[in-house]
Amino acid sequence: MTSPEPHSPHQHGGNGHGHGHSHAHGPAAPVSKHLRKVIAAVLIPFSTAVLVGLVVLWPGGAPPHQRTGVGFDRQTQQAKVIKVDEVDCKTVNAGQAPSNGDTSTAESQRARTAEQRLCKKATVEVTSGKEKGRTFTEIVQPDSPRQLHTGQGVIVAYAPDAPHDLQYSVTDVNRRFPMALLAGIFALAVVAVGRLRGVMALVALVVSFAVLTLFILPAVLQGSNPLLVAVVGASAIMLIALYMCHGLSARTSVAVLGTLVSLMLIGLLGSLFIGWASLTGNTDDNTGLIHGLYPNIDMSGLLLAGVIIGSLGVLDDVTVTQTSAVWELHEANPTMGPRGLYRAGIRIGRDHIASVVNTLVLAYAGAALPLLLLFSIAQSSVGTVANSELVAEEIVRTLVGSIGLVASVPLTTALAALVVSADRPGPAATAPRVGATRGGGGHRRKK
């Protein structure tokens, strides 16, 4: 007896299931009512707890504060360079050497270089804000890493308490157009290749950023426990993103459970080693400014929250891939038991572990490359570099996240093998199962 209902593209033939790392597997075949009840019994309370956490911890916006005028905490406006003239650096008092005659420092050496060269005098016009149309001059030294040219869009800082001629200064280049263009190319590429799933992935990405900016960041600023906020926010992102991208199915639910267990492990290990290594989370000017503006924020908790959120994206990839691999193996050979499914799935997972861990380590190393270069210039030993809190934070972040990723492979594979092999088919569906595994023209049974 065959089922006429085409629930899955895997119902015809079994030759297309030999791959192990692909997320384009189509809709999962439905499982039995018994399994749906078991999965719902786990996920419904968890989803309810996440929803309650969002409601209880919802901040209602970031708390206001008086701007310090330091770093990112400055009033900024858009502006445009309308003219650039070359002038003698001496005439604009740029790059003067120290009065004590000391030429050993890097600043004095740059000053002596500037004295012998031409500086640029840029006229900049403010193009936004209440003082739109106001102009000011910006002196750019010849060895400055950022050189200005006519017609260039820039970002300027506004200091209302400064003298009139010094209220505006160029702080950065306006790079919104190339960034927006790159984002548009990315979106087109995702939709062109992923089609409907690509669209859903982009929607999930927008929702993830919304949870991050509307819930996680304001809640931390309001003084809520960063770890609790990160767990609730990451869980909400996980549920929305996975179900939106991969559909409301048992296969996705298993990936959700595997991700949840792995996140719990990362949270426990991160809490243990951040405390054991005495990592404060306050290591640079930006974190120092945050601590100065909001002294009630637990900076070490904020560090742990970053570890959890940073690991979530890669965890989703691993758990979805492993779950899909086990489901495909079961579709190709329904006679395989949980032990056989686990062994076949873990072989795929080992390749995934090697690539993902290497990717994670290189990503963190690339982000910290300027810092590592400074240590190399200072000829510091490996032990000295690793003991530095700046580097130790990245080491703990990388290793804790990698341990969670490695653990997620056997955890998710075992869970998927148990769930898919525990399905209870009806008696009428037994005969067609064998024929369907040989790539014949018969239909699979409806699970």
Side-chain angles (χ1 to χ4, degrees):
M1 180 176 181
T2 59
S3 172
E5 187 176 345
H7 281 280
S8 171
H10 305 301
Q11 288 176 333
H12 298 280
N15 298 330
H17 308 293
H19 62 90
H21 191 160
S22 174
H23 296 176
H25 300 286
V31 296
S32 67
K33 186 176 181 181
H34 169 73
L35 274 186
R36 288 198 298 268
K37 287 183 177 179
V38 172
I39 294 172
V42 176
L43 288 179
I44 289 178
F46 170 64
S47 303
T48 304
V50 172
L51 181 61
V52 171
L54 287 173
V55 173
V56 172
L57 297 173
W58 192 264
H65 71 277
Q66 187 175 0
R67 290 186 180 272
T68 63
V70 178
F72 290 102
D73 194 37
R74 292 180 288 184
Q75 298 183 39
T76 59
Q77 300 292 345
Q78 297 183 44
K80 184 178 181 179
V81 179
I82 58 176
K83 185 173 66 171
V84 176
D85 298 318
E86 288 189 344
V87 296
D88 190 342
C89 291
K90 293 180 181 180
T91 63
V92 291
N93 297 323
Q96 291 185 346
S99 58
N100 58 9
D102 182 12
T103 59
S104 61
T105 64
E107 291 183 1
S108 62
Q109 290 175 3
R110 284 197 302 266
R112 289 176 62 87
T113 301
E115 286 181 352
Q116 303 169 4
R117 299 176 62 184
L118 294 176
C119 291
K120 289 183 178 179
K121 183 179 179 181
T123 303
V124 183
E125 179 183 358
V126 179
T127 58
S128 66
K130 296 180 180 179
E131 296 189 314
K132 180 179 179 180
R134 176 177 168 178
T135 60
F136 66 96
T137 58
E138 181 85 6
I139 304 301
V140 183
Q141 296 191 16
D143 59 346
S144 174
R146 183 188 298 117
Q147 297 294 320
L148 302 180
H149 58 266
T150 303
Q152 185 177 26
V154 293
I155 303 297
V156 296
Y158 174 60
D161 298 332
H164 184 269
D165 293 339
L166 302 176
Q167 287 182 333
Y168 284 97
S169 61
V170 176
T171 60
D172 208 345
V173 174
N174 189 339
R175 52 182 66 91
R176 294 183 180 180
F177 177 74
M179 298 294 288
L181 179 61
L182 181 60
I185 295 173
F186 164 74
L188 287 176
V190 171
V191 173
V193 177
R195 298 186 180 181
L196 180 59
R197 285 190 177 234
V199 174
M200 297 308 295
L202 293 176
V203 174
L205 183 62
V206 172
V207 173
S208 298
F209 272 103
V211 173
L212 182 64
T213 56
L214 299 179
F215 171 70
I216 295 178
L217 298 180
V220 171
L221 291 178
Q222 291 242 348
S224 300
N225 184 282
L227 176 58
L228 182 60
V229 171
V231 169
V232 173
S235 299
I237 291 173
M238 173 185 65
L239 289 170
I240 294 171
L242 287 182
Y243 283 118
M244 188 174 289
C245 293
H246 304 284
L248 189 63
S249 64
R251 187 165 72 184
T252 307
S253 299
V254 171
V256 168
L257 292 176
T259 305
L260 174 62
V261 175
S262 302
L263 280 179
M264 292 173 59
L265 176 62
I266 290 174
L268 290 173
L269 286 175
S271 179
L272 172 63
F273 283 95
I274 287 175
W276 198 357
S278 300
L279 299 178
T280 63
N282 190 359
T283 54
D284 56 24
D285 293 339
N286 293 328
T287 54
L289 179 60
I290 293 172
H291 185 65
L293 293 173
Y294 301 96
N296 294 328
I297 293 180
D298 180 9
M299 298 303 294
S300 61
L302 188 62
L303 173 61
L304 178 56
V307 173
I308 293 174
I309 295 173
S311 302
L312 177 62
V314 189
L315 268 179
D316 287 351
D317 175 73
V318 173
T319 55
V320 168
T321 298
Q322 287 305 115
T323 304
S324 296
V326 173
W327 239 262
E328 295 291 334
L329 290 167
H330 178 70
E331 288 289 306
N333 186 3
T335 61
M336 291 179 68
R339 187 183 297 273
L341 288 172
Y342 176 80
R343 288 178 176 175
I346 204 67
R347 286 195 294 270
I348 300 171
R350 291 191 184 104
D351 292 336
H352 206 186
I353 286 174
S355 61
V356 167
V357 169
N358 193 46
T359 299
L360 192 65
V361 171
L362 290 179
Y364 283 127
L369 199 58
L371 177 64
L372 297 177
L373 185 60
L374 287 176
F375 281 109
S376 178
I377 293 173
Q379 297 182 350
S380 302
S381 65
V382 175
T384 302
V385 173
N387 191 65
S388 161
E389 183 170 0
L390 275 171
V391 179
E393 278 189 6
E394 299 302 326
I395 292 175
V396 170
R397 192 195 310 269
T398 302
L399 296 183
V400 168
S402 298
I403 291 172
L405 289 174
V406 171
S408 70
V409 171
L411 283 172
T412 308
T413 305
L415 185 61
L418 289 173
V419 168
V420 75
S421 62
D423 196 9
R424 298 177 180 177
T430 305
R433 292 182 64 177
V434 177
T437 61
R438 297 178 181 175
H443 294 279
R444 288 194 192 278
R445 52 101 181 167
K446 179 181 178 180
K447 293 186 180 181

